[in-house]
Amino acid sequence: MNKVNKANLPAAIFIFFLLIVWEIGALKMNASYILPTPIQIIKKIWELREALFTVHLPATMLVTGVGLAISVVLGLALAIAMDSSEIIRKTLYPLVVATQTIPITAIAPLFVVWFGYGIWSKIVVAVLMTFFPITITVYDGLRSARLEMAELLRTYGARRAEVFRIIKIPCALPYFFSAVKMAVPISIIGAAIGEWLGAQSGLGYFSRRMMSQLDGAGVFAPIVLLSAVAMIAVAILAVIEKKCVKWRGEN
Amino acid sequence: MLEFKNVSYQYDSEDFDIIDKLSFKIERGTFNSIIGISGCGKSTIFRLTNGLLKAKSGEITIDGISIQELKQYCGYMPQKDLLFPWLTVGENVEMPLNFRGKISKREKRNRAEQVLSDVGLQDCADKMPHELSGGMRQRASFARTLLTDSELLLLDEPFSALDFLTRLSMQEWLLDQCMKYNKTILFITHDVEEAILLSDNILVVEKTPISELKKISVPMEYPRTRKMLERRDILELKDELIDKLRAQMTV
Ligand SMILES: Nc1ncnc2c1ncn2[C@@H]1O[C@H](COP(=O)(O)OP(=O)(O)OP(=O)(O)O)[C@@H](O)[C@H]1O
Ligand SMILES: [Mg+2]
């Protein structure tokens, strides 16, 4: 633990320094409706704690969670399908890439029209943004399994499904964790964008409402909260990963 | 025991048969080395024998039965050790047993420990492969090959990646092992001295496409020692083999 603390010390000092610069700069500017100081933001979070923590944070987390779950299932399915057959790969790969060229913020208002003001329009945004990195990364992981290892197993009499279980899954596991760690923050951003564009609750929606009231600290408060949640989630995933993945790459 | 009858094989990307109507026979209980220059098709012969490649024409038989009707008839040790880095050495070694019908966990473990101590790796079952040295890894890989329980072993340049001294000791070690297990062994190497020291017969690849393996018996009795390599007739044999291989390089 001590080691970890020491390793993080420079980062902590640097962040603290930035916050002080921000604080002083914002005080000098004295226009808190555009640039609130960090202390004002913290105060705001405290003032609004009830609405933020009991209504809006859970709403955003629901969208993020459901979106992430769908992305993981979809991403895994696509990756496995593309790995299992050349034809499927050739058919799907360009399509998967094409979904990433959609300017999501531009057409997200349409999602509201299609899927309504409920959570589904936001989930679609989150899924569209996250399933791609999961698909591609897990696919690369499955590919990273060396052909020679699979062949060796075949000479022992293993069938395809057994080769998949014994070799492909362990090879893809570290990639999978990287993918999910990447996907968590993106999914949160996706949910927030969805809410920003049209919703009745959620941190994205809340931030926008504060914007229309020219409440700078109120705009920042939910955003700070989102970053904090993303960092905590990634840290938790890193702990789980340490437990599951005992090796990484070869040599 | 093993017989090739007019076997031909062609890689899809090439326009000639790399193996061209090849016939040869291996007697039960003998040690046979295949020598030839790099890229001449030695590994291809192995991959045909273990069924990873299908012959275009001709037949490969074991005791008169076509290999297409047989399963798990040979233990293949590939050119690289290919230990699975996410499994312990013990789990690696018992891998072939997983495809031999119902064998209890206990028994698998016992057999793995037995064979590991046979190859001089008694306390290594719970280590991870990356904790072993190169020579130890090769021995673990050999132990795994032994647990295929096949009489026929195909060893593809098992020592070529080792440093000189480790290699010498591994050769002597393999001589001992062969006395102990009485297996039929096909061994690929491009080290002429290694081939002479270890084999009853040497099969020389004189040209590619391979249509013939020139069989040369090694006139050395067992038990063998490295000293014997200094005998006149053996030195002459060595020169003859080197000339044969060199003739191919200049073509
Ligand atoms: N999958 C493949 N597709 C096409 N050609 C191949 C393939 N594998 C091998 N070859 C070709 O077949 C030839 C023989 O390959 P092989 O692996 O049998 O050589 P080798 O004698 O084992 O060589 P080395 O001593 O370097 O291991 C090579 O020239 C190579 O170009
Ligand atoms: Mg080879």
Side-chain angles (χ1 to χ4, degrees):
Chain A
M1 207 56 213
N2 231 333
K3 234 185 204 164
V4 176
N5 284 341
K6 255 187 208 145
N8 288 335
L9 199 61
I13 292 175
F14 186 58
I15 290 174
F16 191 69
F17 173 74
L18 283 183
L19 285 174
I20 290 178
V21 170
W22 179 359
E23 180 79 31
I24 295 172
L27 278 177
K28 276 234 157 87
M29 227 172 106
N30 194 17
S32 67
Y33 56 95
I34 339 179
L35 187 65
T37 72
I39 292 176
Q40 285 169 338
I41 295 171
I42 304 283
K43 272 192 188 148
K44 199 67 168 189
I45 293 178
W46 182 249
E47 271 167 36
L48 298 171
R49 62 185 179 280
E50 183 127 354
L52 283 176
F53 284 98
T54 61
V55 181
H56 299 293
L57 181 62
T60 305
M61 286 303 105
L62 180 67
V63 173
T64 305
V66 175
L68 201 59
I70 294 176
S71 292
V72 167
V73 172
L74 184 66
L76 284 179
L78 286 172
I80 291 171
M82 293 199 309
D83 178 63
S84 69
S85 133
E86 185 71 16
I87 297 175
I88 296 183
R89 187 186 66 80
K90 282 195 176 140
T91 319
L92 289 183
Y93 205 100
L95 268 178
V96 171
V97 175
T99 61
Q100 294 313 293
T101 62
I102 302 173
I104 289 183
T105 34
I107 68 159
L110 269 183
F111 294 158
V112 178
V113 178
W114 294 343
F115 304 103
Y117 269 91
I119 62 169
W120 287 105
S121 55
K122 285 103 219 166
I123 289 175
V124 170
V125 175
V127 169
L128 265 181
M129 288 175 68
T130 44
F131 90 98
F132 178 75
I134 296 182
T135 307
I136 299 302
T137 313
V138 174
Y139 172 70
D140 281 346
L142 292 170
R143 286 273 106 166
S144 78
R146 287 165 60 188
L147 184 63
E148 299 138 300
M149 289 187 175
E151 283 183 346
L152 180 64
L153 218 54
R154 296 300 287 258
T155 71
Y156 296 156
R159 284 185 300 265
R160 254 181 91 126
E162 289 166 323
V163 172
F164 188 82
R165 178 172 57 82
I166 296 171
I167 295 186
K168 294 261 178 175
I169 291 182
C171 283
L173 204 59
Y175 289 78
F176 174 75
F177 274 103
S178 301
V180 179
K181 280 196 286 189
M182 228 186 324
V184 165
I186 302 179
S187 177
I188 291 178
I189 294 170
I193 291 178
E195 290 165 351
W196 181 277
L197 292 166
Q200 290 138 335
S201 62
L203 292 172
Y205 155 80
F206 188 83
S207 173
R208 181 175 190 166
R209 206 178 71 192
M210 293 294 123
M211 179 83 110
S212 63
Q213 297 172 7
L214 287 184
D215 180 347
V219 173
F220 274 89
I223 294 173
V224 169
L225 211 55
L226 282 178
S227 320
V229 169
M231 285 193 279
I232 292 169
V234 171
I236 292 173
L237 276 169
V239 171
I240 299 176
E241 178 183 19
K242 252 210 171 119
K243 288 240 149 69
C244 298
V245 181
K246 298 220 165 46
W247 71 291
R248 218 168 224 287
E250 216 180 343
N251 306 325
Chain B
M1 153 169 221
L2 170 70
E3 186 170 7
F4 270 54
K5 289 181 205 151
N6 283 317
V7 174
S8 297
Y9 183 79
Q10 179 183 9
Y11 282 110
D12 286 337
S13 56
E14 287 176 341
D15 54 4
F16 63 94
D17 293 351
I18 180 155
I19 310 288
D20 185 17
K21 300 208 185 66
L22 174 66
S23 301
F24 69 92
K25 249 191 216 172
I26 301 292
E27 303 300 330
R28 171 167 264 112
T30 55
F31 193 115
N32 304 272
S33 290
I34 300 180
I35 62 172
I37 59 169
S38 186
C40 69
K42 304 179 297 289
S43 295
T44 308
I45 295 179
F46 270 25
R47 292 160 60 78
L48 283 164
T49 310
N50 65 23
L52 285 176
L53 299 176
K54 297 265 171 292
K56 187 166 93 175
S57 64
E59 198 180 29
I60 302 170
T61 61
I62 306 262
D63 295 330
I65 305 168
S66 162
I67 56 165
Q68 281 167 28
E69 287 151 44
L70 293 170
K71 262 176 145 180
Q72 305 173 334
Y73 50 88
C74 69
Y76 169 55
M77 178 170 168
Q79 212 157 339
K80 294 167 214 136
D81 63 61
L82 294 185
L83 295 173
F84 303 144
W86 56 90
L87 298 178
T88 65
V89 173
E91 288 165 338
N92 262 291
V93 167
E94 63 184 54
M95 186 55 75
L97 296 176
N98 291 331
F99 309 102
R100 304 233 137 216
K102 280 244 174 296
I103 303 177
S104 74
K105 264 213 165 91
R106 267 234 68 70
E107 195 185 336
K108 278 193 253 180
R109 176 77 193 188
N110 286 342
R111 292 213 51 198
E113 274 173 6
Q114 172 64 44
V115 76
L116 276 173
S117 79
D118 281 355
V119 302
L121 295 176
Q122 26 297 72
D123 303 310
C124 295
D126 292 320
K127 292 200 173 145
M128 299 305 283
H130 66 83
E131 297 173 273
L132 304 186
S133 71
M136 290 159 91
R137 290 175 67 109
Q138 289 297 343
R139 277 184 280 165
S141 176
F142 184 75
R144 176 167 71 174
T145 311
L146 283 176
L147 282 198
T148 57
D149 286 332
S150 316
E151 236 194 288
L152 178 64
L153 299 185
L154 309 175
L155 313 180
D156 194 346
E157 299 194 38
F159 308 144
S160 61
L162 300 179
D163 67 86
F164 181 68
L165 287 175
T166 314
R167 192 154 155 184
L168 293 191
S169 71
M170 288 298 290
Q171 288 165 359
E172 277 148 25
W173 172 82
L174 184 61
L175 263 179
D176 275 357
Q177 298 288 309
C178 291
M179 305 285 271
K180 192 148 70 185
Y181 288 105
N182 193 34
K183 302 264 187 192
T184 307
I185 294 180
L186 261 179
F187 184 94
I188 291 181
T189 176
H190 35 229
D191 179 341
V192 171
E193 211 163 89
E194 178 172 274
I196 295 176
L197 178 69
L198 296 173
S199 339
D200 297 296
N201 305 301
I202 296 178
L203 305 169
V204 189
V205 179
E206 287 182 305
K207 62 173 179 34
T208 311
I210 305 177
S211 54
E212 190 192 13
L213 291 175
K214 188 164 169 53
K215 188 164 174 173
I216 297 174
S217 298
V218 178
M220 262 181 4
E221 57 291 348
Y222 291 90
R224 290 182 177 176
T225 60
R226 196 166 296 281
K227 267 261 168 287
M228 295 180 182
L229 290 174
E230 288 158 23
R231 273 174 19 195
R232 277 241 357 230
D233 57 335
I234 300 299
L235 285 176
E236 274 163 19
L237 174 63
K238 185 174 153 189
D239 284 343
E240 183 193 334
L241 289 172
I242 290 176
D243 285 344
K244 278 209 165 74
L245 296 182
R246 196 176 283 160
Q248 225 185 129
M249 298 291 282
T250 52
V251 169

